[in-house]
């Protein structure tokens, strides 16, 4: 089953259960996935679908961050949508797992004491290993913390 099929099945369950908020959140996610499929003109791969879901999470988080505190109904809706969307993406790597991949990459490149000059070379090898599994900002922060 593709991600679109899974989201559609969950939306049908929510409709049958009478869970209007969940149905609305899933409907928005399904719409984003369908639009990406139309834009690509073929079915999405699992990784591409995960990217779309993460993009929706990020956009909803940005809405949440910019919403004034007195708009509690919008804040609650955004938090609920993020919780629903997170059901459909694999868990992101934790900091210690990312550090292990960074150390593995440094060993692979033969770099004992990384410097800022090595950053481009390290990131070029490192990012394909963690793409879609780890937050790029966190990877960058952890790598920058290792510079001599």
């Amino acid at each position: 089953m593709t991600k679109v099929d899974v989201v559609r099945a969950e939306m049908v369950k929510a409709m049958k259960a009478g869970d209007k908020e969940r149905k609305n959140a899933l409907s928005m996610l399904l719409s984003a996935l369908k639009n990406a499929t139309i834009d690509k003109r073929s079915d999405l791969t699992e990784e591409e679908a995960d990217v779309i879901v993460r993009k929706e999470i990020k956009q909803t988080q940005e809405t949440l961050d910019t919403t004034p505190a007195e708009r509690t109904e919008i804040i609650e809706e955004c938090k609920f949508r993020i919780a629903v969307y997170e059901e459909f993406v694999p868990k992101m790597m934790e900091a210690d797992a990312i550090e292990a991949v960074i150390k593995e990459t440094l060993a692979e490149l033969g770099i004992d004491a990384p410097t800022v000059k090595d950053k481009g070379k390290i990131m070029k090898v490192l990012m394909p290993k963690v793409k879609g599994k780890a937050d790029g900002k966190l990877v960058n922060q952890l790598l920058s913390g290792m510079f001599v």
Side-chain angles (χ1 to χ4, degrees):
M1 261 173 90
T2 65
K3 185 87 62 187
V4 171
D5 296 333
V6 172
V7 173
R8 185 178 291 122
E10 285 297 315
M11 190 173 84
V12 169
K13 279 186 201 173
M15 287 186 332
K16 287 181 179 178
D19 189 347
K20 192 173 182 178
E21 290 91 20
R22 182 170 173 80
K23 182 250 174 206
N24 289 340
L26 291 169
S27 176
M28 292 171 83
L29 182 59
L30 184 61
S31 176
L33 289 167
K34 282 182 174 180
N35 287 338
T37 302
I38 291 167
D39 290 345
K40 185 182 174 194
R41 293 194 169 112
S42 67
D43 289 338
L44 298 172
T45 64
E46 193 69 25
E47 292 81 27
E48 291 169 333
D50 289 343
V51 167
I52 300 300
V53 177
R54 282 199 181 91
K55 181 179 169 190
E56 290 298 309
I57 291 171
K58 187 175 182 181
Q59 287 177 344
T60 305
Q61 185 63 49
E62 288 171 0
T63 301
L64 180 63
D65 293 342
T66 59
T67 303
E70 64 270 3
R71 300 295 308 266
T72 55
E73 71 284 348
I74 295 174
I75 292 171
E76 291 304 314
E77 179 188 346
C78 287
K79 286 180 181 177
F80 182 78
R81 282 182 23 211
I82 289 170
V84 171
Y85 294 170
E86 285 177 343
E87 297 173 23
F88 299 97
V89 289
K91 293 287 180 220
M92 297 298 258
M93 292 172 71
E94 297 291 327
D96 51 342
I98 296 170
E99 285 177 356
V101 175
I102 291 172
K103 289 175 183 170
E104 175 187 309
T105 303
L106 292 174
E108 184 182 309
L109 293 171
I111 300 173
D112 295 327
T115 62
V116 176
K117 286 183 180 180
D118 298 324
K119 186 174 185 178
K121 181 171 38 170
I122 296 167
M123 288 297 265
K124 189 175 185 179
V125 176
L126 176 64
M127 286 312 288
K129 293 180 181 181
V130 297
K131 186 172 192 224
K133 301 177 200 164
D135 180 29
K137 271 189 205 174
L138 182 59
V139 172
N140 191 14
Q141 287 174 343
L142 293 172
L143 179 60
S144 295
M146 293 183 170
F147 291 145
V148 178

